[in-house]
Amino acid sequence: MNRLYPLFFNPIYKEKIWGGQRIKSVLGKDYSPLLNCGEAWLISGVEGENTVVRNGFLADNELNELIEVYMDDLVGEQAFEKFGERFPLLFKFIDSDDYLSIQVHPGDELAAERHGSFGKTEMWYVIEAEQDAELICGFSKTVGREQFIDHLKNKTLRDILNTEKVKPGDVFYLPAGRVHALGPGILLTEIQQTSDVTYRIYDWDRTDPQGKSRELHIWQALDAIDFEVSDPYRTGYARKQDETVALVESPYFTTNLLQLTRPVVKDYSRLDSFVVYICTRGKAELIHRDGRLPVVRGDAVLVPAEIPDCRLIPSPEVELLEVYLVE
């Protein structure tokens, strides 16, 4: 059996009522014949929506098929024991040209009970944002279930929700249960548990070209919402060149930021996990045990768990998100 190598996948593109053009104009992705692209699923193990390898001898194989064959060599021992042949994380680009619905995701227990699914804890890393772009994240004041329902009926949810102005480089960690919505003018990377369960609470009374409203899931959402106020909602960190900067360390994934102006060797020999790099700016060369690969803005590459190290050479600069499972 041939050895594993860093894997690129063909994205799955999703046209959305709120989608824009930045996944093409900024990140260079061709999502034709879609009119817009709200989401590009870069690496996905969602059932029925597994991404397909585009490079090397494993090209045209789905991600789940690779795990079936390579098992812990691909994902790591702990991940294979816990998740089996299902890849545990989903990586996306999201481009919002309008408000997304106000929504919430269930946690592991509720998602398993209702949907036979994982919960959906996620994080956002903002790549581009128009001036005064904003998003909704959590509550601005403590409310109870009945107060929430009253605000929903009166269409005054904005009065109790927390709004944040955003800029490139902002990070938001969204544990399952946190109410949220992106506003227009934002391009970001989303890293999340492998789940496609979303409870739509309010969709701004909009309709599609046929005059139909999207389905809401208000009563399902009420059991999932965390009504507590959290402060701050934005994740603080210090940007540093040529160092590994921690952004998020959660039970579900670890995400670091790499802003490189010089070559760096990454030693993963003691890490029992795959690693995913998402290139948000610039370009680099990834040198591994069997060769070298270019990584450019808009790419996501999966480095299998059995590869002990790699070298990143920026050209001349690169910004990468580095993601792996908890050690």
Side-chain angles (χ1 to χ4, degrees):
M1 185 164 59
N2 290 320
R3 294 207 299 187
L4 283 168
Y5 54 92
L7 302 164
F8 292 86
F9 296 81
N10 294 317
I12 299 171
Y13 298 113
K14 306 276 187 175
E15 187 171 337
K16 298 288 184 179
I17 196 170
W18 42 262
Q21 306 294 320
R22 295 176 189 84
I23 287 173
K24 179 187 294 182
S25 63
V26 176
L27 300 177
K29 301 294 185 184
D30 181 8
Y31 49 76
S32 57
L34 303 183
L35 297 178
N36 71 56
C37 184
E39 297 185 359
W41 291 21
L42 307 173
I43 303 176
S44 169
V46 173
E47 187 174 356
E49 306 231 44
N50 273 266
T51 44
V52 174
V53 178
R54 68 171 170 84
N55 67 310
F57 74 90
L58 291 171
D60 300 325
N61 284 276
E62 293 185 351
L63 178 55
N64 60 322
E65 295 172 337
L66 300 187
I67 300 175
E68 184 179 352
V69 173
Y70 290 97
M71 301 182 288
D72 58 318
D73 285 345
L74 180 62
V75 296
E77 291 183 11
Q78 292 184 57
F80 187 70
E81 288 176 6
K82 184 174 182 179
F83 301 104
E85 294 172 11
R86 191 169 185 185
F87 194 69
L89 298 179
L90 172 57
F91 299 85
K92 300 177 181 178
F93 289 131
I94 298 180
D95 176 23
S96 58
D97 210 40
D98 196 356
Y99 274 97
L100 277 68
S101 62
I102 296 175
Q103 58 190 247
V104 72
H105 308 300
D108 287 338
E109 187 175 341
L110 189 59
E113 177 186 327
R114 288 182 175 173
H115 311 284
S117 168
F118 300 130
K120 191 175 176 184
T121 287
E122 57 196 13
M123 69 161 285
W124 291 332
Y125 180 83
V126 178
I127 300 171
E128 299 282 351
E130 294 179 359
Q131 187 173 359
D132 295 325
E134 63 181 21
L135 55 81
I136 291 169
C137 182
F139 290 97
S140 60
K141 61 181 73 174
T142 301
V143 297
R145 184 184 177 109
E146 297 306 318
Q147 287 175 290
F148 181 83
I149 294 171
D150 287 342
H151 280 283
L152 183 58
K153 288 178 179 177
N154 295 327
K155 299 182 181 179
T156 57
L157 272 184
R158 290 288 302 257
D159 294 348
I160 59 171
L161 295 176
N162 175 62
T163 301
E164 302 272 355
K165 299 286 187 183
V166 298
K167 62 185 184 303
D170 279 351
V171 174
F172 293 87
Y173 179 65
L174 301 165
R178 181 164 293 171
V179 174
H180 60 277
L182 286 180
I186 301 172
L187 173 67
L188 56 75
T189 297
E190 181 175 272
I191 299 157
Q192 59 160 96
Q193 291 177 270
T194 291
S195 169
D196 199 28
V197 180
T198 296
Y199 296 149
R200 219 176 275 128
I201 298 166
Y202 179 60
D203 200 32
W204 313 102
D205 301 315
R206 63 186 158 199
T207 57
D208 65 16
Q210 288 72 46
K212 294 181 180 180
S213 301
R214 294 197 295 173
E215 182 183 4
L216 300 180
H217 317 94
I218 295 166
W219 299 107
Q220 298 99 312
L222 287 171
D223 294 329
I225 294 172
D226 178 2
F227 290 100
E228 296 297 317
V229 173
S230 177
D231 186 39
Y233 287 101
R234 193 190 322 258
T235 299
Y237 68 97
R239 298 174 75 87
K240 298 178 182 178
Q241 283 191 341
D242 301 314
E243 293 185 29
T244 299
V245 176
L247 299 182
V248 169
E249 296 180 10
S250 82
Y252 304 102
F253 50 81
T254 294
T255 302
N256 301 318
L257 175 65
L258 305 176
Q259 293 180 289
L260 302 179
T261 62
R262 55 182 174 81
V264 64
V265 174
K266 299 296 292 188
D267 182 356
Y268 298 119
S269 58
R270 297 185 180 181
L271 179 67
D272 181 24
S273 172
F274 60 87
V275 176
V276 169
Y277 291 120
I278 303 171
C279 186
T280 54
R281 292 186 192 284
K283 58 184 178 179
E285 191 172 41
L286 189 160
I287 300 175
H288 59 101
R289 62 190 181 186
D290 294 320
R292 53 183 64 205
L293 295 163
V295 180
V296 301
R297 191 181 203 189
D299 279 345
V301 56
L302 189 161
V303 180
E306 74 161 11
I307 295 179
D309 55 61
C310 63
R311 192 177 186 210
L312 298 166
I313 302 178
S315 178
E317 298 181 1
V318 71
E319 179 180 275
L320 300 162
L321 298 181
E322 175 192 50
V323 186
Y324 48 82
L325 300 185
V326 179
E327 295 184 70

